[in-house]
Amino acid sequence: MSAEIFLVLVVALIVDRLVGDPDWLWERVTHPVVLFGKAIGVFDAALNRGGDGGWRKMRGVAAIVILVAASMLLGVVLNRLFDVLGTLGFVLEAMTVAVFLAQKSLADHVRRVADGLRRDGLEGGREAVSMIVGRDPKPLDEPGVCRAAIESLAENFSDGVVAPALWYAVAGLPGLFAYKMLNTADSMIGHKSPKYLHFGWASARLDDLVNLPAARLSALLIAAGARFKRGAEAAKAAIEVAKSDHAFHRSPNSGWPEAAMAGALDIQLAGPRVYGGARVDEPMINGSGRAVATAVDIDDAVIVFYGACSALTLIAAALVLPFLLF
């Protein structure tokens, strides 16, 4: 950690908040996460075949260790290059970090769900939410679509904003790249399908581990965002529901930000849903909250989300001061 890292992080958070992921750029240039995905695909095709479960698990461990090490090495190389370039290097590093954050893009995708509901009714909402969730949207009614969008917003706030910012603050570009490689691997091979149950085991477990601090921090940031936008009672409810209901979620980490958002908005989240044609029964988070979520709740969730993002930026800015003063 250093004053320069926190300054870079502040600039990156501001740039990502204002610019996001412009389509015109990524239509012409391959996004780094896509390149990470291609590297993971190469290892998947080469190593995830033949042998029993134990042998596939060992190869999955080797694959993720190599991929994470390679991403860290890339981060070291770029870090040294940017150091040599001085002010230009500072700007390039801030732009690089911004690419791996997801404030504006996440909010834009979630807003499209509310827009789809208002413009095209339930089918419009289902189509928009299918772009951001893994569950089957066909069985969802309108409140279900709204809950799914809000849950995705809260969960991805942790994975797509807080965690990359945290690991960059802790370990610079090597830490940021390692986290994004691991998180991408978890999304691609970390699920419990027959093909990936063993090969993706290490990626899933490591992703749970590295997201543990960010998930707890994201709940506090959502409470801060609720305090900015909805008042002290909403912030208090966010913290209380996060503490009491986070374990209702199937994920050891996602329950924290989702429960905090449920408390901040006073709505129920999670509950039964369908994945790959199979019904998954889970308890409702914040069962005493409102049962019917609406497009207005999606709007309110985005407002709280942006408040939480602002709190994260302010914290990063405040952490520069001790390095400058002492």
Side-chain angles (χ1 to χ4, degrees):
M1 292 186 181
S2 67
E4 183 175 355
I5 277 183
F6 285 116
L7 282 171
V8 167
L9 181 57
V10 170
V11 173
L13 285 164
I14 292 172
V15 169
D16 177 61
R17 175 79 170 262
L18 297 175
V19 179
D21 285 328
D23 292 336
W24 62 264
L25 175 61
W26 302 122
E27 288 172 355
R28 294 167 174 79
V29 180
T30 303
H31 196 288
V33 172
V34 175
L35 296 177
F36 285 5
K38 289 182 178 180
I40 294 162
V42 169
F43 278 82
D44 181 21
L47 300 179
N48 188 19
R49 56 183 180 179
D52 59 17
W55 183 236
R56 286 200 183 196
K57 184 178 289 189
M58 290 177 61
R59 283 183 288 183
V61 170
I64 196 60
V65 167
I66 293 170
L67 286 164
V68 168
S71 64
M72 293 180 70
L73 178 60
L74 175 61
V76 169
V77 171
L78 287 179
N79 184 69
R80 292 182 178 179
L81 175 62
F82 293 156
D83 282 345
V84 171
L85 294 175
T87 301
L88 175 60
F90 178 94
V91 173
L92 290 174
E93 184 160 341
M95 297 303 101
T96 301
V97 176
V99 165
F100 288 94
L101 300 172
Q103 297 168 99
K104 186 176 185 298
S105 60
L106 177 56
D108 287 347
H109 277 92
V110 172
R111 277 178 171 150
R112 288 183 192 129
V113 179
D115 292 342
L117 286 168
R118 293 186 175 109
R119 184 180 59 250
D120 301 317
L122 180 56
E123 288 307 313
R126 285 173 175 168
E127 180 179 356
V129 85
S130 70
M131 306 300 293
I132 59 173
V133 300
R135 75 192 69 172
D136 183 0
K138 293 180 182 178
L140 296 177
D141 56 10
E142 184 168 332
V145 168
C146 295
R147 286 196 302 271
I150 295 167
E151 290 160 15
S152 180
L153 179 67
E155 179 179 354
N156 285 292
F157 172 57
S158 178
D159 292 355
V161 180
V162 180
L166 177 62
W167 284 109
Y168 175 73
V170 170
L173 288 178
L176 172 62
F177 287 5
Y179 171 75
K180 292 303 293 187
M181 178 65 80
L182 183 56
N183 190 242
T184 304
D186 177 62
S187 67
M188 291 179 63
I189 64 174
H191 36 89
K192 295 182 179 180
S193 65
K195 182 177 180 180
Y196 294 115
L197 179 63
H198 300 292
F199 185 74
W201 172 83
S203 298
R205 298 291 76 76
L206 286 173
D207 186 72
D208 286 342
L209 180 63
V210 300
N211 275 298
L212 188 149
R216 279 82 180 154
L217 177 57
S218 66
L220 294 175
L221 290 169
I222 287 171
R227 178 65 181 85
F228 293 157
K229 303 298 182 180
R230 297 175 65 85
E233 287 301 315
K236 180 180 178 182
I239 292 175
E240 289 179 348
V241 176
K243 289 168 61 178
S244 64
D245 289 8
H246 69 272
F248 291 166
H249 200 283
R250 66 194 181 283
S251 165
N253 293 317
S254 298
W256 287 94
E258 288 191 27
M261 187 65 80
L265 302 178
D266 188 31
I267 60 172
Q268 297 176 4
L269 292 179
R273 71 277 309 276
V274 177
Y275 288 98
R279 179 183 172 89
V280 178
D281 288 313
E282 294 180 0
M284 281 289 184
I285 291 174
N286 193 30
S288 62
R290 287 182 292 110
V292 178
T294 68
V296 173
D297 290 309
I298 297 178
D299 297 335
D300 290 344
V302 172
I303 291 171
V304 171
F305 164 78
Y306 269 139
C309 292
S310 297
L312 177 62
T313 304
L314 290 172
I315 290 171
L319 289 173
V320 174
L321 295 177
F323 292 98
L324 298 178
L325 295 175
F326 301 103

